[in-house]
Amino acid sequence: MHLLVIGGSDAGISAGLAARERDPSAEVTLLVADRYPNFSICGIPYHVSGDVPYWRSLAHRSTTDLLHAGLNLRLEHRATAIDPDAHTVTVTTPQADTVTFAYDRLIIGTGAVPALPPIDGLDTLGPADGVHVLHSMGDMFAVLNSLERRQARTAVIVGAGYIGLEMAEALTTRGLTVTLVEQLDQVMPTIDGELAAPLAEHLREHGVDVQHGTKVQAIHADDAGLTVETDRGNHPGDIVLVVTGVRPDTELAAAAGTRLGIRGTIAVDRQMRTNLPDIYAAGDCVHTYHRLLDQHVYLPLGSTAHKQGRVAGINALGGTAKFAGSLGTQAVKVFDLVAAGTGLRDGDARQAGYDPITIETTADDHKAYYPGATAIRIRVTGDRATGRLLGAQLLGSRGAEIAKRIDIYATAISYGAAVADISDLDLSYTPPLGSPWDAAQIAATAWQQATGR
Amino acid sequence: MHLLVIGGSDAGISAGLAARERDPSAEVTLLVADRYPNFSICGIPYHVSGDVPYWRSLAHRSTTDLLHAGLNLRLEHRATAIDPDAHTVTVTTPQADTVTFAYDRLIIGTGAVPALPPIDGLDTLGPADGVHVLHSMGDMFAVLNSLERRQARTAVIVGAGYIGLEMAEALTTRGLTVTLVEQLDQVMPTIDGELAAPLAEHLREHGVDVQHGTKVQAIHADDAGLTVETDRGNHPGDIVLVVTGVRPDTELAAAAGTRLGIRGTIAVDRQMRTNLPDIYAAGDCVHTYHRLLDQHVYLPLGSTAHKQGRVAGINALGGTAKFAGSLGTQAVKVFDLVAAGTGLRDGDARQAGYDPITIETTADDHKAYYPGATAIRIRVTGDRATGRLLGAQLLGSRGAEIAKRIDIYATAISYGAAVADISDLDLSYTPPLGSPWDAAQIAATAWQQATGR
């Protein structure tokens, strides 16, 4: 049995490891397009900031560990064509040769690529000019090179999603003066504006010039440096990062005849099977089953890629694993604040046929009398018709256990919880770390009181 | 409608507030035996330590807030008899008068009292001698008085449950040298010995002389001070705390004819009704429905008392609330470590008819590359026969989100989760606060791999 995996990031590596776990006699070959298998691209901001001094630390597992697990790693092997009938993949090697790999089963984990907005200049300017995307280890090295080479003291970041926010912090920590430009009228478009506003304020308190509701029209380069031209004025910078989201990298799969799903993703079932025989796919290149919506969406997240990869790896070797689904659970740390969310917000919920209402509550992370208590802002979304819990969003201090507190809601939603169930949960309590009614429960009770459910 | 509540601690206050919320026209009178309604007795160690400078801060709500909520507070009113037929309660007032209160509905929230082990000297020595129990605000003031009056520099704590551990930290923080004596062969008998051992080691690193497997036989007082005599030697101390657990305070209820349950608790159903008409009970004086065991146990915990009180208050005014049940979820901070647990351990699970096995795993709280990552020791208990998740125990650093991470397991157990479900949960991930597979999931996967389930 020869399992071939295209992709050496979260989904591909998880698939390969799961396959080897299931059948230690299986031959598993990973085609890794770059030289960085199994690196945590989520960790890129923390190497740029200096928090992680050595870039090799960003590897989830060392190459040695991967080899020890019995994976055949082929670095700088870029797949250029899949022949589903012949069960072969054509690959360009580091020597620019073209070779063919045969497979019994194939897993496609090609991931995502930066989605570039229509900005004048983006087609011609690049890393050599100090204009960067940031989605791979190679991109990171290019950014570091620009920072050094251009002795950058100012940066303009286009896009205030979680990577944009983390990079705003990272570059500020490095000593740069940062302008953060976002087209939508709030930072962090995956949380409600009510929580995004204090997050933007926090960025400003740390010196970031936050410009939301601002559309970038062009990027210009001249001897003086770079200028980001927007509909509300120009922002000069020594370096420009364009981090406006990603799109699935599916050219290879599409050319081979895999059926595509929402937003150009590879369509897979919950066993991570494509429509083509013996071909599976997983990670940021596929659509993701959403537990609450009971349909597929595009949710390119590392935590999901790991889980999908594992399912693909098990099933490729004859298993019957099933991807349980995502809730879009996310957390981001921005300086001293943490924002987190899970499930649906009003807009998505309404579109899915629910009758949602969101109630915001503020509650202390632990007993107010114990030193260090901080307020958490909690937005609970529930269905008015059924009382079902649909989602939650939290904003609070680092140290307030925001990340694992959102997971209480995520866990409950997975089981189809009602909002009322949350207050009944037997959650832990000790004054330095909680309250007899945990903040998560106080927020649920407030939702009940506001809705009479 | 006149609702009378005996008890002004967690259960009684929660009951009164819930009743007033449900029916703002209800007359609600609380008989509070001491002068401290609605104080967080869980906070006592933090006032003794100095972390909470003002004792009044320990109130969950101020007296003014309680009055504002429309509760009739009768302080230093000790109920001495209940006449269920006449629907009256006899009360001793601060003036030592005896008065009678009539009720339409009665809620008994008399709580618990210290359970004293058979130690010679305990019957004669008391606060005046520097020998203390610690379960009420009055007890706390007595301890503070002894510390001052005796200029205490050394303390012996008998009992290494969570109060014993917290007081060991509190008195050490105050500058005392502390000896902690425990009859069982580990500290924190509610967690497995494998986690108790490093917890004891941590106490020792902070200067606490931990003596477990040591039975106290007598306490002696002479001019030189106090001596705690054990089967393994004597420990001198300027002050002695005996914190060896509590028993339900049910004399009053029993005399009135309420049926008693396990360990002398007041037997109630899940609506918190006693066997007597119009009489409810809640909190540390009643038995507690356990979700996993599907039977009643004695679990005197503040978080549970609040929930039971609320159910009693709603139902006393005609509602139909039902206590969802407890899992015994607990957390305790001891210096820089946090221990937490939920559900069943091997012993209890086996007794309940499960076929339990516990697997221990160590996993980082967040990505190792990001500064400050610490290892969490996680013990997952599951049923070999069905794969059902029965319990979990965590030990890790303060700041590692231990308290809310145990709540992920507690939430899942509430829904009858299998251990395998945990790995499928969509938990939050960002490198400074988690991992793509959260520590909680890594531990669940390890359990599955060890058991083949």
Side-chain angles (χ1 to χ4, degrees):
Chain A
M1 164 66 73
H2 183 223
L3 171 65
L4 187 64
V5 180
I6 303 175
S9 194
D10 294 349
I13 298 282
S14 294
L17 291 173
R20 289 283 305 170
E21 253 175 47
R22 184 178 167 84
D23 179 0
S25 77
E27 197 69 29
V28 178
T29 303
L30 271 86
L31 304 173
V32 182
D34 61 17
R35 288 189 292 177
Y36 311 105
N38 201 214
F39 271 76
S40 171
I41 57 174
C42 299
I44 287 175
Y46 310 109
H47 178 55
V48 175
S49 68
D51 287 317
V52 180
Y54 306 108
W55 65 266
R56 284 187 196 283
S57 308
L58 293 183
H60 283 303
R61 298 167 194 82
S62 70
T63 306
T64 311
D65 284 348
L66 297 176
L67 296 175
H68 190 75
L71 301 180
N72 306 321
L73 293 176
R74 297 289 176 265
L75 304 187
E76 298 183 85
H77 277 53
R78 182 172 287 280
T80 56
I82 300 167
D83 184 334
D85 297 327
H87 276 48
T88 57
V89 174
T90 308
V91 175
T92 308
T93 72
Q95 293 75 33
D97 294 343
T98 294
V99 296
T100 298
F101 284 74
Y103 64 81
D104 295 309
R105 301 283 151 69
L106 176 69
I107 296 176
I108 302 174
T110 41
V113 288
L116 294 180
I119 296 175
D120 279 355
L122 255 193
D123 48 343
T124 54
L125 297 171
D129 312 291
V131 177
H132 296 265
V133 295
L134 190 51
H135 189 68
S136 68
M137 292 297 286
D139 294 339
M140 178 187 79
F141 293 122
V143 167
L144 290 170
N145 185 280
S146 274
L147 287 170
E148 193 72 21
R149 188 169 35 83
R150 301 172 71 86
Q151 299 190 305
R153 299 175 60 184
T154 59
V156 181
I157 299 176
V158 180
Y162 65 95
I163 304 278
L165 299 180
E166 288 167 350
M167 285 306 298
E169 175 180 347
L171 294 177
T172 301
T173 303
R174 258 185 100 100
L176 279 79
T177 300
V178 175
T179 303
L180 180 62
V181 183
E182 166 63 45
Q183 181 172 351
L184 299 175
D185 59 0
Q186 64 168 74
V187 300
M188 189 87 184
T190 49
I191 60 171
D192 286 350
E194 288 83 350
L195 301 188
L199 196 58
E201 195 47 42
H202 187 67
L203 283 155
R204 289 188 182 108
E205 284 164 14
H206 282 83
V208 177
D209 178 12
V210 181
Q211 300 286 339
H212 45 60
T214 301
K215 190 173 162 61
V216 174
Q217 293 167 324
I219 302 174
H220 305 286
D222 59 27
D223 291 350
L226 296 160
T227 303
V228 174
E229 182 190 322
T230 80
D231 57 353
R232 297 175 57 180
N234 293 345
H235 300 286
D238 298 323
I239 182 172
V240 173
L241 301 187
V242 179
V243 283
T244 49
V246 296
R247 60 178 175 79
D249 185 358
T250 56
E251 226 174 288
L252 181 70
T258 60
R259 194 166 61 78
L260 298 185
I262 184 172
R263 291 177 63 181
T265 52
I266 302 171
V268 291
D269 62 15
R270 289 174 62 190
Q271 285 78 37
M272 310 313 293
R273 295 180 295 209
T274 69
N275 60 311
L276 299 177
D278 301 324
I279 302 185
Y280 299 75
D284 290 359
C285 59
V286 306
H287 63 190
T288 290
Y289 176 74
H290 193 290
R291 278 194 182 197
L292 261 175
L293 296 175
D294 190 24
Q295 65 184 36
H296 288 92
V297 294
Y298 188 48
L299 271 174
L301 291 169
S303 45
T304 300
H306 278 86
K307 292 183 182 71
Q308 292 177 332
R310 191 169 169 80
V311 169
I314 290 169
N315 291 344
L317 293 205
T320 56
K322 192 170 175 183
F323 176 60
S326 169
L327 294 168
T329 311
Q330 271 185 281
V332 63
K333 182 191 91 65
V334 183
F335 294 106
D336 306 319
L337 288 183
V338 177
T342 189
L344 305 177
R345 295 187 292 145
D346 275 358
D348 289 336
R350 194 166 296 117
Q351 217 173 334
Y354 291 106
D355 177 19
I357 179 168
T358 297
I359 300 295
E360 183 171 325
T361 310
T362 299
D364 287 329
D365 70 315
H366 64 253
K367 287 303 299 179
Y369 59 71
Y370 191 86
T374 57
I376 307 176
R377 292 180 62 172
I378 307 182
R379 293 176 67 80
V380 169
T381 303
D383 183 36
R384 244 185 297 230
T386 59
R388 184 169 179 186
L389 175 64
L390 298 176
Q393 302 166 64
L394 272 65
L395 181 72
S397 299
R398 198 179 166 189
E401 306 207 4
I402 301 297
K404 295 304 117 184
R405 205 171 242 124
I406 198 72
D407 288 347
I408 297 171
Y409 292 108
T411 302
I413 292 173
S414 296
Y415 288 96
V419 177
D421 292 352
I422 299 296
S423 310
D424 283 342
L425 295 174
D426 185 21
L427 304 179
S428 72
Y429 163 51
T430 182
L433 300 168
S435 304
W437 297 101
D438 188 76
Q441 298 179 304
I442 291 171
T445 304
W447 188 93
Q448 289 179 261
Q449 283 168 346
T451 61
R453 285 209 60 98
Chain B
M1 164 66 73
H2 182 223
L3 171 64
L4 187 64
V5 179
I6 304 175
S9 193
D10 294 350
I13 299 283
S14 294
L17 291 173
R20 288 283 305 169
E21 253 176 49
R22 184 177 168 83
D23 179 0
S25 77
E27 198 68 30
V28 178
T29 303
L30 271 87
L31 305 172
V32 183
D34 60 17
R35 289 188 291 176
Y36 311 106
N38 201 214
F39 272 76
S40 171
I41 57 175
C42 299
I44 288 175
Y46 311 109
H47 178 54
V48 175
S49 68
D51 287 316
V52 180
Y54 306 108
W55 64 266
R56 284 188 196 281
S57 309
L58 293 183
H60 282 304
R61 297 168 194 82
S62 71
T63 305
T64 311
D65 284 349
L66 297 176
L67 295 176
H68 191 75
L71 301 181
N72 306 321
L73 293 176
R74 297 290 176 266
L75 305 187
E76 298 183 85
H77 277 53
R78 180 172 288 278
T80 55
I82 300 168
D83 184 333
D85 298 326
H87 276 49
T88 58
V89 173
T90 307
V91 174
T92 307
T93 72
Q95 294 75 34
D97 295 342
T98 294
V99 297
T100 299
F101 283 74
Y103 65 81
D104 296 309
R105 301 283 151 69
L106 177 68
I107 296 176
I108 302 173
T110 42
V113 288
L116 294 181
I119 296 174
D120 280 355
L122 256 193
D123 48 344
T124 54
L125 296 172
D129 312 291
V131 177
H132 296 265
V133 295
L134 190 51
H135 189 66
S136 67
M137 290 298 286
D139 295 340
M140 179 187 79
F141 293 122
V143 166
L144 290 170
N145 186 283
S146 273
L147 287 170
E148 193 70 21
R149 188 169 35 83
R150 301 173 70 87
Q151 299 189 304
R153 298 175 59 185
T154 58
V156 181
I157 298 175
V158 180
Y162 65 96
I163 303 278
L165 299 179
E166 288 167 349
M167 285 305 298
E169 174 180 349
L171 293 177
T172 301
T173 303
R174 258 185 101 100
L176 280 78
T177 301
V178 176
T179 303
L180 180 62
V181 182
E182 167 63 46
Q183 181 172 350
L184 299 176
D185 60 359
Q186 65 169 74
V187 300
M188 189 86 183
T190 48
I191 58 171
D192 287 350
E194 288 82 350
L195 301 188
L199 196 57
E201 194 49 40
H202 187 66
L203 283 154
R204 290 190 182 107
E205 284 164 12
H206 282 82
V208 178
D209 178 12
V210 181
Q211 300 285 340
H212 45 59
T214 301
K215 190 172 160 61
V216 174
Q217 292 165 326
I219 303 173
H220 304 287
D222 60 25
D223 291 349
L226 297 161
T227 303
V228 174
E229 183 190 322
T230 81
D231 58 352
R232 298 175 58 181
N234 293 345
H235 300 286
D238 298 323
I239 183 172
V240 173
L241 300 188
V242 179
V243 283
T244 49
V246 297
R247 59 179 175 79
D249 184 358
T250 56
E251 224 173 291
L252 181 71
T258 60
R259 196 166 61 78
L260 298 187
I262 184 172
R263 290 177 62 180
T265 51
I266 302 171
V268 290
D269 61 16
R270 289 173 63 190
Q271 284 78 36
M272 310 314 292
R273 294 180 296 211
T274 69
N275 60 312
L276 299 177
D278 301 324
I279 302 184
Y280 299 75
D284 290 359
C285 59
V286 306
H287 62 192
T288 290
Y289 176 74
H290 194 290
R291 278 193 184 199
L292 262 175
L293 296 175
D294 190 25
Q295 65 184 37
H296 289 92
V297 295
Y298 188 48
L299 270 174
L301 290 169
S303 46
T304 301
H306 278 86
K307 292 184 182 73
Q308 291 177 333
R310 191 169 170 80
V311 169
I314 290 169
N315 291 344
L317 292 204
T320 56
K322 193 170 176 183
F323 176 60
S326 169
L327 295 168
T329 312
Q330 270 185 280
V332 63
K333 181 192 92 66
V334 183
F335 294 105
D336 306 319
L337 287 183
V338 176
T342 188
L344 305 176
R345 295 186 291 145
D346 276 357
D348 289 336
R350 195 167 295 117
Q351 216 171 336
Y354 291 106
D355 177 19
I357 179 169
T358 296
I359 300 295
E360 184 172 325
T361 310
T362 298
D364 287 329
D365 70 315
H366 63 253
K367 288 302 300 180
Y369 58 71
Y370 190 86
T374 58
I376 306 175
R377 291 179 63 171
I378 307 181
R379 294 176 67 79
V380 169
T381 303
D383 183 36
R384 245 185 297 230
T386 59
R388 185 169 177 184
L389 175 63
L390 298 175
Q393 302 166 65
L394 272 66
L395 180 73
S397 298
R398 198 180 166 187
E401 306 207 4
I402 300 297
K404 295 304 117 186
R405 205 171 244 122
I406 198 72
D407 288 347
I408 297 171
Y409 292 108
T411 302
I413 292 173
S414 296
Y415 288 96
V419 177
D421 292 352
I422 299 296
S423 310
D424 283 342
L425 295 174
D426 185 22
L427 305 179
S428 73
Y429 163 51
T430 182
L433 300 167
S435 304
W437 297 101
D438 188 76
Q441 298 180 305
I442 291 171
T445 304
W447 188 93
Q448 289 179 260
Q449 282 168 346
T451 60
R453 284 209 63 98

